[in-house]
C-alpha cells in the first residue's frame, strides 16, 4: 500500500470560516475518475493535559458541552494559539489558566486524532507531574467546576468507561501506568 | 451545581444538512442575558467494536482519512442506520461487513463522546469475542486494509500511544483488561 496521498483536492470551499471552527465541503478526486464532495470541520490543533498534583491527586473539569447537551468530565485542554505554537507551551498555559497551576515535568504521551472521519482535530496528550494548585484564572461557575480526585479514583473512573469525554478518558488511560509508577506510599494507599 | 440544561436554543440553523453529516450554527441563550452563535457538526450515533478472534488476535483496519490527510489504524466502526437502531445490532452488522465475521459474545464497555465541543458524536464501545473471520464484504483496496495482530501486540500499540485514531485507541485500552483476562496459554504466550 502506497503512503502517497491517495486523494486530490480539486476545490476547497468554506461554508463557515472562523479562527476556532470552520466547516468545509471540498470537491475531491478519490481516484479512478471518481469525484466526491467531502465535508468536515476544521479546528486548531489542541493539547490535553492530565494534571497530577504533588500529593497524588488528578484535577478534572466538569462542564456543560452544548453539542451533546450534556455535562462532561474532562482533563484540562485547549487549542494552540497559532499553528507554530509549541504544544508544550500550550499545555503549560492551559494548566495555568484552568487549574491555576504550574508543574515540575511535562511528559508527552501521544499524538492523536479525535474523530478523523468528521474533524481534522490533531492533538497532543501530556502528563503534568508535581502540579502545584494555584488560583485558577478560570472562574468556577454553574457551568464549569474543578474536581480534584485521588489519582486512583480518577483512573478507576476512566477504566470503568465512566469518563464520557473519550479524549479525556484516553488521556487518563495512557497516563495510568506513569501515574501508578510514581505512586508514593504517602499519597496513595 | 444544577443538572438542568443551562443553555437554551433560540434558533437552530443548518449550513449543510445530510443524513451522515450536518453543520449547524445555533443562536443560543447561555444565561444572564447573553446570546451567542454556537457552531458544531451533527452526525449519527456510532459504534466501535474491538474484534477478538477465537485464536486471540485483534482485527484492525488501516485506512486513509481525508480530514486529517493521513492513514490511520482503527477498530471496525460504523453509524447507526436510524436513531432507534440497537447499537448491538449495528456492531454485529459492522463486524460482518468490515471483517466478514460473526462473534460469540458482544460485551458493552462504554458510551462516550468523541469531541464534545465540536461534534455531537455519541458512541458505544463493544468487545466482540470468539470472532470467526469470514469473507469481508468490504473490499480491500489501496485505501483500506485489514490488519490481524496478536492481541498483545495490538494492545501494546495502544498503550504506547501509537494508534493515532483516539476513538479506536480508547476502545482498545478499555478492552485490554477483558482481553488479558481471557488469555489462553494456547493463543498468547
Amino acid at each position: 500500500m502506497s503512503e502517497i496521498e491517495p486523494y486530490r483536492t480539486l476545490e476547497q470551499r468554506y461554508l463557515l470560516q472562523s479562527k476556532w471552527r470552520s466547516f468545509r465541503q471540498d470537491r475531491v478526486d478519490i481516484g479512478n475518475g471518481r469525484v466526491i464532495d467531502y465535508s468536515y470541520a476544521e479546528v486548531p490543533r489542541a493539547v490535553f493535559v492530565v494534571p497530577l498534583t504533588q500529593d497524588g491527586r488528578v484535577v478534572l473539569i466538569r462542564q456543560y458541552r452544548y453539542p451533546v447537551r450534556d455535562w462532561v468530565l474532562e482533563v484540562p485542554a485547549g487549542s494552540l494559539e497559532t499553528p507554530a505554537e509549541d504544544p508544550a507551551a500550550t499545555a503549560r498555559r492551559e494548566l495555568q489558566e484552568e487549574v491555576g497551576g504550574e508543574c515540575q515535568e511535562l511528559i508527552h504521551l501521544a499524538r492523536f486524532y479525535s474523530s478523523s472521519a468528521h474533524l481534522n482535530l490533531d492533538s497532543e496528550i501530556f502528563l503534568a507531574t508535581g502540579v502545584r494548585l494555584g488560583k485558577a484564572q478560570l472562574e468556577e461557575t454553574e457551568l464549569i467546576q474543578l474536581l480534584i480526585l485521588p489519582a486512583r479514583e480518577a483512573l478507576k473512573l476512566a477504566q470503568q468507561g465512566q469518563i464520557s469525554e473519550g479524549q479525556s478518558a484516553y488521556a487518563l488511560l495512557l497516563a495510568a501506568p506513569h501515574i501508578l509508577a510514581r505512586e508514593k506510599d504517602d499519597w496513595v494507599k
Side-chain angles (χ1 to χ4, degrees), chain A residues 23-178:
Chain A
F23 297 141
R24 290 173 64 152
Q25 189 178 42
D26 289 2
R27 289 293 283 171
V28 183
D29 179 340
I30 61 168
N32 298 321
R34 285 171 301 169
V35 173
I36 62 163
D37 285 326
Y38 199 117
S39 60
Y40 67 97
E42 198 175 70
V43 299
R45 289 180 61 204
V47 299
F48 291 82
V49 187
V50 178
L52 180 66
T53 66
Q54 290 176 311
D55 63 348
R57 293 181 296 165
V58 164
V59 186
L60 299 177
I61 296 172
R62 188 167 183 274
Q63 61 185 311
Y64 183 77
R65 291 298 194 178
Y66 179 68
V68 295
R69 310 292 195 278
D70 200 1
W71 297 89
V72 296
L73 262 188
E74 303 181 10
V75 300
S79 299
L80 273 61
E81 281 288 343
T82 68
E85 187 173 47
D86 174 11
T90 317
R92 287 182 193 277
R93 188 181 63 238
E94 290 299 328
L95 209 56
Q96 184 63 47
E97 286 179 6
E98 302 198 340
V99 177
E102 290 180 2
C103 66
Q104 275 161 9
E105 206 184 344
L106 207 53
I107 302 163
H108 184 259
L109 299 180
R111 179 170 180 173
F112 77 106
Y113 304 124
S114 292
S115 191
S116 63
H118 301 303
L119 192 65
N120 75 338
L121 184 52
D122 172 3
S123 304
E124 311 286 342
I125 296 175
F126 294 96
L127 169 63
T129 65
V131 170
R132 287 176 298 278
L133 295 176
K135 188 170 160 47
Q137 267 141 53
L138 186 78
E139 200 186 343
E140 283 199 70
T141 66
E142 279 183 19
L143 297 182
I144 194 154
Q145 194 181 43
L146 291 188
L147 201 69
I148 305 175
L149 298 175
R152 290 216 163 200
E153 213 172 294
L155 299 181
K156 197 173 163 193
L157 284 177
Q159 280 153 354
Q160 294 178 336
Q162 289 174 28
I163 303 279
S164 62
E165 238 299 337
Q167 303 164 129
S168 293
Y170 175 44
L172 287 165
L173 291 181
L174 272 187
H178 299 265

